[in-house]
Amino acid sequence: MPALNIAELQPLLRRREVSPREVLDLLRARIEELEPKIDAYLSIDFEAAAKEAEKADVDLPLGGVPIAIKDIINVAGQPCTCASKILRNYRAPYDATVIRKLRVAGAIPFGKTNMDEFAMGSSTENSSVKLTHNPWDLSRVPGGSSGGSAAAVAADGAFGGLGTDTGGSIRQPAALSGVVGVKPSYGRVSRFGVVAFASSLDQVGPLTKTVRDSALIMNAIAGHDPYDSTSLNEPVPDYTAALGRDLKGIRLGLPKEYMIEGIDPQVKAAIDDAVKQLQSLGAEIVDVSLPHTDFAIAAYYIIATAEASANLARFDGVRYGHRAENPKDLLDHYGRTREEGFGAEVKRRIILGTYVLSSGYYDAYYLRAQKVRQLIRQDFAQAFEKVDALVSPTSPVPAFKLGERTADPLQMYLADIFTNAANLAGICGISLPCGFVKSGSGGDTDSSRGESDGHRLPIGLQLLGKALEEGRILQIAHAYEQSTDWHKARPKL
Ligand code: GLN
């Protein structure tokens, strides 16, 4: 049962062949067998979920479907720790809008998943709580920062999940864990009740086993929210409506700047094959240029850290979470609370972000990064005059080994090289499975030694679309997915 995707589970629920309570119990058994190996969850409240299941209306769009939630999204009464010590004992006093909307659609948000602390990272190793393991190879990372949701879905420990994507944190873990992940356009999905990392970049989106399942979750969570002034007041289409259409007349752009050195040769080969496949389905392939691509990572890490330094100022030991004991005075209270509560990566970002915003450096760094951001936006606008969507790898490499990049933050930042420009531009993106790398060539350094340890590591194909054209990229992704078997592969655990 837990191996089913949402679209397969629904008819069974609707025909009353299985009850939401039975589904939950079977999922629970699966998670209990899985968690010692994967460690995807930070907290699960099966009792609360069981109560919801008893009264679930299976005729609603997601009626009776349990959904895993990244621990940065507030679910009333449940812990919301952002995998940080500073929020270790924090419980959400209310539902985020996306949770409220999931409930309206009948879904059951039952557990909170592991992540990089405050969503800062690309491997989930910055969690202050524990490491999450990639279900395809337990010695490797699941990607991040939404690694818990990605690993849970990949291992059939969740029918679907929610993550957040500030610079790639839905798409990259989806790619590394072999599932589908959607980063909606900025403003498409409410951020109300989602702990803010970088407010001009953050978006909530689904992680699922199939493209259709992502469309189903998007139907539930997208839309205007008066509680989020950046949410767009635009009608929400039925994202499943365009699924099944062919690709005739669709123009897909290949950004030449994305074919960089450093892409794993097996990843490159898989993307080349995927492009041919898309072509055979009727899409026309066009070469395009995104000339400012080289500056995206630098601009992203200035803007994201600047916003993070402001957003994290609220964690002062007065209102939320951890508070240092016996402070000498107020300054000592703030200093030690934050010293004890935040991990190394979060501190690095606060320091960097404060620096780029400080007088004297603001013009040189922050303002300049905002100008670059505008150029990157224009790059995409020009490309989208010629094409309907862009195609690229999601990540230049498959899942790397746990510990391999933790000593080198810059190396870790490069994990987002193909994803974070989309956040700067506010456009939408999806990652979906498009093949496997034979392990041995999977990591970086120990890769070409020829010894395969028998693992297959998933590869992700990224499609980027214009703002508010989620329907289009879901359509293209679905056509590709249905013409391959990649999404049917399951890790052996
Ligand atoms: N890896 C990027 C970072 O560390 C992206 C994180 C995210 O999307 N939340 O900032």
Side-chain angles (χ1 to χ4, degrees), residues 70 72 115-123 126 144-146 164-173 183 197-198 201-203 300-301 304-305 345 349 412-416 419-420 423:
K70 186 179 185 179
I72 196 167
M115 53 183 284
D116 288 296
E117 184 176 3
F118 286 107
M120 298 173 183
S122 302
S123 67
N126 292 335
S145 62
S146 312
T164 57
D165 192 311
T166 303
S169 280
I170 290 174
R171 291 161 288 160
Q172 187 261 13
K183 182 208 101 71
F197 162 11
L201 302 163
D202 299 342
Q203 271 294 289
Y300 169 83
Y301 277 97
T305 56
E345 182 61 27
R349 304 229 183 170
M412 194 68 94
Y413 294 174
L414 288 175
D416 314 319
T419 49
N420 65 24
N423 301 71

Short mmCIF file of all heavy atoms in Angstrom, two decimals, residues 70 72 115-123 126 144-146 164-173 183 197-198 201-203 300-301 304-305 345 349 412-416 419-420 423, ligand 1:
data_model
loop_
_atom_site.label_atom_id
_atom_site.label_comp_id
_atom_site.label_asym_id
_atom_site.label_seq_id
_atom_site.Cartn_x
_atom_site.Cartn_y
_atom_site.Cartn_z
N LYS A 70 7.75 19.34 5.60
CA LYS A 70 9.07 19.84 6.03
C LYS A 70 8.91 20.63 7.33
O LYS A 70 7.97 21.42 7.46
CB LYS A 70 9.64 20.72 4.92
CG LYS A 70 11.06 21.20 5.15
CD LYS A 70 11.52 22.05 3.96
CE LYS A 70 12.98 22.46 4.06
NZ LYS A 70 13.41 23.25 2.88
N ILE A 72 9.71 23.20 8.56
CA ILE A 72 9.81 24.66 8.54
C ILE A 72 8.41 25.26 8.37
O ILE A 72 8.23 26.47 8.37
CB ILE A 72 10.74 25.09 7.38
CG1 ILE A 72 11.23 26.54 7.51
CG2 ILE A 72 10.08 24.88 6.02
CD1 ILE A 72 12.38 26.90 6.58
N MET A 115 15.59 18.39 7.69
CA MET A 115 15.99 19.44 6.75
C MET A 115 17.30 20.03 7.22
O MET A 115 17.71 19.83 8.36
CB MET A 115 14.91 20.53 6.74
CG MET A 115 14.58 21.07 8.14
SD MET A 115 13.27 22.29 8.16
CE MET A 115 14.16 23.72 7.54
N ASP A 116 17.96 20.78 6.35
CA ASP A 116 19.07 21.60 6.81
C ASP A 116 18.51 22.69 7.71
O ASP A 116 17.43 23.23 7.45
CB ASP A 116 19.77 22.25 5.60
CG ASP A 116 20.56 21.25 4.79
OD1 ASP A 116 21.53 20.69 5.34
OD2 ASP A 116 20.22 21.03 3.61
N GLU A 117 19.25 23.01 8.77
CA GLU A 117 18.79 24.03 9.72
C GLU A 117 18.33 25.29 8.97
O GLU A 117 19.09 25.85 8.17
CB GLU A 117 19.92 24.37 10.70
CG GLU A 117 19.49 25.34 11.78
CD GLU A 117 20.58 25.62 12.82
OE1 GLU A 117 21.71 25.10 12.68
OE2 GLU A 117 20.30 26.38 13.77
N PHE A 118 17.11 25.71 9.23
CA PHE A 118 16.51 26.88 8.58
C PHE A 118 16.61 26.83 7.05
O PHE A 118 16.65 27.86 6.39
CB PHE A 118 17.10 28.19 9.13
CG PHE A 118 16.61 28.51 10.52
CD1 PHE A 118 17.46 28.36 11.61
CD2 PHE A 118 15.32 28.92 10.73
CE1 PHE A 118 16.99 28.63 12.90
CE2 PHE A 118 14.85 29.18 12.02
CZ PHE A 118 15.69 29.04 13.10
N ALA A 119 16.66 25.62 6.52
CA ALA A 119 16.68 25.40 5.05
C ALA A 119 17.96 25.88 4.39
O ALA A 119 18.01 26.12 3.19
CB ALA A 119 15.46 26.04 4.37
N MET A 120 19.03 25.98 5.18
CA MET A 120 20.30 26.44 4.63
C MET A 120 21.21 25.25 4.38
O MET A 120 21.87 24.74 5.30
CB MET A 120 20.96 27.41 5.61
CG MET A 120 20.11 28.64 5.82
SD MET A 120 20.79 29.68 7.11
CE MET A 120 19.53 30.95 7.18
N GLY A 121 21.26 24.82 3.12
CA GLY A 121 22.12 23.70 2.79
C GLY A 121 21.60 22.93 1.61
O GLY A 121 20.53 23.24 1.07
N SER A 122 22.36 21.94 1.20
CA SER A 122 22.03 21.16 0.00
C SER A 122 22.14 19.67 0.25
O SER A 122 22.20 18.89 -0.70
CB SER A 122 22.98 21.54 -1.14
OG SER A 122 22.89 22.92 -1.41
N SER A 123 22.19 19.26 1.51
CA SER A 123 22.41 17.84 1.79
C SER A 123 21.68 17.35 3.03
O SER A 123 21.75 16.17 3.36
CB SER A 123 23.91 17.58 1.97
OG SER A 123 24.36 18.23 3.15
N ASN A 126 23.13 19.85 7.53
CA ASN A 126 23.14 20.96 8.49
C ASN A 126 22.02 20.84 9.52
O ASN A 126 21.83 21.76 10.31
CB ASN A 126 23.03 22.30 7.76
CG ASN A 126 24.27 22.62 6.95
OD1 ASN A 126 25.36 22.13 7.26
ND2 ASN A 126 24.13 23.40 5.90
N GLY A 144 19.27 18.44 -0.31
CA GLY A 144 18.69 19.31 0.71
C GLY A 144 18.31 20.65 0.11
O GLY A 144 18.55 20.88 -1.06
N SER A 145 17.63 21.47 0.84
CA SER A 145 17.43 21.28 2.26
C SER A 145 16.18 20.44 2.60
O SER A 145 16.05 19.99 3.72
CB SER A 145 17.31 22.63 2.96
OG SER A 145 16.18 23.34 2.46
N SER A 146 15.32 20.18 1.61
CA SER A 146 14.11 19.39 1.90
C SER A 146 14.41 17.89 1.81
O SER A 146 13.61 17.12 1.27
CB SER A 146 12.97 19.76 0.95
OG SER A 146 12.81 21.16 0.86
N THR A 164 10.33 23.31 0.86
CA THR A 164 10.45 24.72 0.46
C THR A 164 11.71 24.84 -0.39
O THR A 164 12.67 24.09 -0.24
CB THR A 164 10.57 25.68 1.66
OG1 THR A 164 11.70 25.30 2.47
CG2 THR A 164 9.30 25.68 2.50
N ASP A 165 11.65 25.81 -1.31
CA ASP A 165 12.74 25.98 -2.28
C ASP A 165 13.10 27.47 -2.32
O ASP A 165 12.30 28.29 -2.75
CB ASP A 165 12.24 25.50 -3.65
CG ASP A 165 13.34 25.36 -4.70
OD1 ASP A 165 14.11 26.31 -4.85
OD2 ASP A 165 13.39 24.31 -5.38
N THR A 166 14.29 27.77 -1.81
CA THR A 166 14.79 29.14 -1.78
C THR A 166 15.85 29.33 -2.86
O THR A 166 15.99 30.40 -3.44
CB THR A 166 15.38 29.44 -0.38
OG1 THR A 166 14.37 29.20 0.59
CG2 THR A 166 15.90 30.85 -0.27
N GLY A 167 16.57 28.22 -3.12
CA GLY A 167 17.60 28.26 -4.17
C GLY A 167 17.73 26.91 -4.86
O GLY A 167 18.66 26.68 -5.62
N GLY A 168 16.81 26.01 -4.55
CA GLY A 168 16.87 24.68 -5.15
C GLY A 168 16.44 23.57 -4.22
O GLY A 168 16.46 22.39 -4.57
N SER A 169 16.02 23.93 -3.03
CA SER A 169 15.83 22.94 -1.97
C SER A 169 14.65 21.99 -2.12
O SER A 169 14.48 21.09 -1.31
CB SER A 169 15.70 23.64 -0.62
OG SER A 169 16.97 23.99 -0.16
N ILE A 170 13.83 22.17 -3.16
CA ILE A 170 12.86 21.12 -3.51
C ILE A 170 13.42 20.31 -4.68
O ILE A 170 13.46 19.08 -4.65
CB ILE A 170 11.49 21.71 -3.89
CG1 ILE A 170 10.81 22.31 -2.66
CG2 ILE A 170 10.60 20.65 -4.54
CD1 ILE A 170 9.52 23.06 -2.95
N ARG A 171 13.88 21.01 -5.72
CA ARG A 171 14.30 20.34 -6.95
C ARG A 171 15.55 19.49 -6.75
O ARG A 171 15.64 18.38 -7.27
CB ARG A 171 14.52 21.39 -8.05
CG ARG A 171 13.24 22.05 -8.53
CD ARG A 171 13.52 23.36 -9.23
NE ARG A 171 13.92 24.40 -8.29
CZ ARG A 171 14.57 25.51 -8.59
NH1 ARG A 171 14.93 25.73 -9.86
NH2 ARG A 171 14.88 26.40 -7.68
N GLN A 172 16.54 20.02 -6.02
CA GLN A 172 17.80 19.28 -5.88
C GLN A 172 17.63 17.99 -5.07
O GLN A 172 18.07 16.94 -5.50
CB GLN A 172 18.88 20.23 -5.33
CG GLN A 172 20.27 19.65 -5.29
CD GLN A 172 20.62 19.14 -3.89
OE1 GLN A 172 19.74 19.01 -3.04
NE2 GLN A 172 21.90 18.82 -3.67
N PRO A 173 16.97 18.02 -3.90
CA PRO A 173 16.73 16.74 -3.21
C PRO A 173 15.82 15.80 -4.01
O PRO A 173 15.98 14.58 -3.95
CB PRO A 173 16.10 17.14 -1.88
CG PRO A 173 15.65 18.55 -2.03
CD PRO A 173 16.52 19.16 -3.08
N LYS A 183 9.07 23.62 -7.77
CA LYS A 183 9.19 24.96 -7.19
C LYS A 183 8.21 25.87 -7.91
O LYS A 183 8.42 26.19 -9.08
CB LYS A 183 10.58 25.55 -7.32
CG LYS A 183 10.66 26.93 -6.65
CD LYS A 183 11.70 27.86 -7.26
CE LYS A 183 11.16 28.90 -8.18
NZ LYS A 183 10.38 29.99 -7.59
N PHE A 197 13.23 32.15 5.47
CA PHE A 197 14.69 32.11 5.28
C PHE A 197 15.05 33.36 4.48
O PHE A 197 15.60 34.32 5.01
CB PHE A 197 15.06 30.78 4.62
CG PHE A 197 16.41 30.69 3.97
CD1 PHE A 197 17.40 31.66 4.13
CD2 PHE A 197 16.73 29.58 3.18
CE1 PHE A 197 18.65 31.54 3.52
CE2 PHE A 197 17.97 29.46 2.57
CZ PHE A 197 18.93 30.44 2.73
N ALA A 198 14.72 33.38 3.19
CA ALA A 198 14.95 34.57 2.36
C ALA A 198 13.63 34.89 1.68
O ALA A 198 13.23 34.24 0.70
CB ALA A 198 16.05 34.29 1.34
N LEU A 201 12.72 34.92 -2.03
CA LEU A 201 13.08 33.73 -2.81
C LEU A 201 12.28 32.49 -2.42
O LEU A 201 12.09 31.58 -3.24
CB LEU A 201 14.58 33.40 -2.60
CG LEU A 201 15.59 34.50 -2.96
CD1 LEU A 201 16.95 34.21 -2.31
CD2 LEU A 201 15.76 34.61 -4.46
N ASP A 202 11.83 32.41 -1.16
CA ASP A 202 11.18 31.20 -0.63
C ASP A 202 9.88 30.86 -1.35
O ASP A 202 9.06 31.76 -1.60
CB ASP A 202 10.80 31.38 0.85
CG ASP A 202 11.98 31.65 1.79
OD1 ASP A 202 13.13 31.39 1.41
OD2 ASP A 202 11.73 32.13 2.92
N GLN A 203 9.67 29.59 -1.66
CA GLN A 203 8.35 29.10 -2.08
C GLN A 203 8.15 27.68 -1.57
O GLN A 203 9.10 26.90 -1.50
CB GLN A 203 8.23 29.07 -3.61
CG GLN A 203 7.70 30.36 -4.22
CD GLN A 203 6.26 30.68 -3.86
OE1 GLN A 203 5.33 30.04 -4.30
NE2 GLN A 203 6.08 31.71 -3.04
N TYR A 300 22.92 35.12 -5.60
CA TYR A 300 22.03 34.38 -4.70
C TYR A 300 22.56 34.39 -3.27
O TYR A 300 21.81 34.66 -2.32
CB TYR A 300 21.84 32.94 -5.18
CG TYR A 300 21.15 32.07 -4.16
CD1 TYR A 300 19.76 32.06 -4.07
CD2 TYR A 300 21.88 31.31 -3.25
CE1 TYR A 300 19.12 31.29 -3.10
CE2 TYR A 300 21.25 30.54 -2.28
CZ TYR A 300 19.88 30.53 -2.21
OH TYR A 300 19.25 29.79 -1.25
N TYR A 301 23.83 34.10 -3.09
CA TYR A 301 24.35 33.97 -1.72
C TYR A 301 24.52 35.33 -1.04
O TYR A 301 24.67 35.39 0.18
CB TYR A 301 25.62 33.11 -1.68
CG TYR A 301 25.22 31.65 -1.63
CD1 TYR A 301 25.18 30.87 -2.78
CD2 TYR A 301 24.78 31.07 -0.44
CE1 TYR A 301 24.75 29.55 -2.75
CE2 TYR A 301 24.35 29.75 -0.39
CZ TYR A 301 24.34 29.00 -1.54
OH TYR A 301 23.90 27.71 -1.49
N ALA A 304 20.34 36.02 -0.46
CA ALA A 304 19.77 35.06 0.49
C ALA A 304 20.31 35.29 1.90
O ALA A 304 19.56 35.24 2.88
CB ALA A 304 20.04 33.62 0.04
N THR A 305 21.61 35.56 2.01
CA THR A 305 22.17 35.76 3.35
C THR A 305 21.71 37.09 3.93
O THR A 305 21.45 37.18 5.13
CB THR A 305 23.71 35.67 3.35
OG1 THR A 305 24.23 36.63 2.41
CG2 THR A 305 24.20 34.29 2.99
N GLU A 345 26.50 26.78 10.01
CA GLU A 345 26.12 27.34 8.70
C GLU A 345 25.20 28.55 8.87
O GLU A 345 25.34 29.55 8.17
CB GLU A 345 25.45 26.27 7.83
CG GLU A 345 25.06 26.74 6.44
CD GLU A 345 26.24 27.20 5.58
OE1 GLU A 345 27.37 26.72 5.81
OE2 GLU A 345 26.04 28.07 4.72
N ARG A 349 25.93 32.44 7.68
CA ARG A 349 25.04 33.23 6.83
C ARG A 349 24.63 34.54 7.49
O ARG A 349 24.50 35.56 6.82
CB ARG A 349 23.80 32.41 6.48
CG ARG A 349 24.20 31.10 5.83
CD ARG A 349 23.47 30.84 4.61
NE ARG A 349 23.86 29.54 4.08
CZ ARG A 349 23.25 28.95 3.09
NH1 ARG A 349 22.20 29.52 2.54
NH2 ARG A 349 23.66 27.79 2.65
N MET A 412 29.62 23.04 -1.32
CA MET A 412 28.21 22.76 -1.05
C MET A 412 27.32 23.77 -1.79
O MET A 412 26.29 23.41 -2.34
CB MET A 412 27.95 22.82 0.46
CG MET A 412 26.64 22.24 0.90
SD MET A 412 26.56 20.45 0.70
CE MET A 412 27.07 19.87 2.31
N TYR A 413 27.73 25.04 -1.83
CA TYR A 413 26.93 26.07 -2.49
C TYR A 413 26.79 25.78 -3.99
O TYR A 413 25.79 26.15 -4.60
CB TYR A 413 27.54 27.46 -2.31
CG TYR A 413 27.56 27.98 -0.88
CD1 TYR A 413 28.20 29.18 -0.55
CD2 TYR A 413 26.93 27.28 0.15
CE1 TYR A 413 28.22 29.65 0.75
CE2 TYR A 413 26.96 27.75 1.45
CZ TYR A 413 27.61 28.93 1.75
OH TYR A 413 27.63 29.41 3.04
N LEU A 414 27.78 25.12 -4.57
CA LEU A 414 27.74 24.84 -6.01
C LEU A 414 26.68 23.81 -6.38
O LEU A 414 26.34 23.64 -7.56
CB LEU A 414 29.11 24.37 -6.51
CG LEU A 414 30.19 25.47 -6.56
CD1 LEU A 414 31.53 24.88 -6.96
CD2 LEU A 414 29.78 26.57 -7.52
N ALA A 415 26.13 23.12 -5.38
CA ALA A 415 25.06 22.16 -5.65
C ALA A 415 23.86 22.83 -6.30
O ALA A 415 23.06 22.19 -6.98
CB ALA A 415 24.64 21.45 -4.36
N ASP A 416 23.71 24.14 -6.09
CA ASP A 416 22.53 24.85 -6.62
C ASP A 416 22.79 25.52 -7.95
O ASP A 416 22.00 26.38 -8.37
CB ASP A 416 22.11 26.02 -5.72
CG ASP A 416 22.08 25.67 -4.28
OD1 ASP A 416 21.61 24.58 -3.99
OD2 ASP A 416 22.49 26.51 -3.48
N THR A 419 19.88 25.62 -10.21
CA THR A 419 18.55 25.85 -9.64
C THR A 419 18.31 27.26 -9.13
O THR A 419 17.20 27.77 -9.21
CB THR A 419 18.26 24.87 -8.47
OG1 THR A 419 19.37 24.89 -7.57
CG2 THR A 419 18.03 23.46 -8.97
N ASN A 420 19.34 27.93 -8.60
CA ASN A 420 19.00 29.14 -7.85
C ASN A 420 18.67 30.37 -8.71
O ASN A 420 18.03 31.30 -8.25
CB ASN A 420 20.00 29.45 -6.73
CG ASN A 420 21.37 29.76 -7.23
OD1 ASN A 420 21.55 30.20 -8.36
ND2 ASN A 420 22.36 29.55 -6.37
N ASN A 423 14.96 31.01 -8.68
CA ASN A 423 14.44 31.73 -7.52
C ASN A 423 14.71 33.23 -7.65
O ASN A 423 13.87 34.05 -7.30
CB ASN A 423 15.07 31.19 -6.23
CG ASN A 423 14.81 29.71 -6.05
OD1 ASN A 423 15.36 28.89 -6.76
ND2 ASN A 423 13.94 29.37 -5.11
N1 GLN B 1 21.29 25.25 -1.04
C1 GLN B 1 20.76 26.57 -1.04
C2 GLN B 1 21.13 27.27 0.23
O1 GLN B 1 21.78 26.68 1.02
C3 GLN B 1 19.29 26.53 -1.24
C4 GLN B 1 18.54 26.31 0.01
C5 GLN B 1 17.07 26.35 -0.20
O2 GLN B 1 16.57 26.33 -1.32
N2 GLN B 1 16.37 26.44 0.91
O3 GLN B 1 20.80 28.40 0.43
#
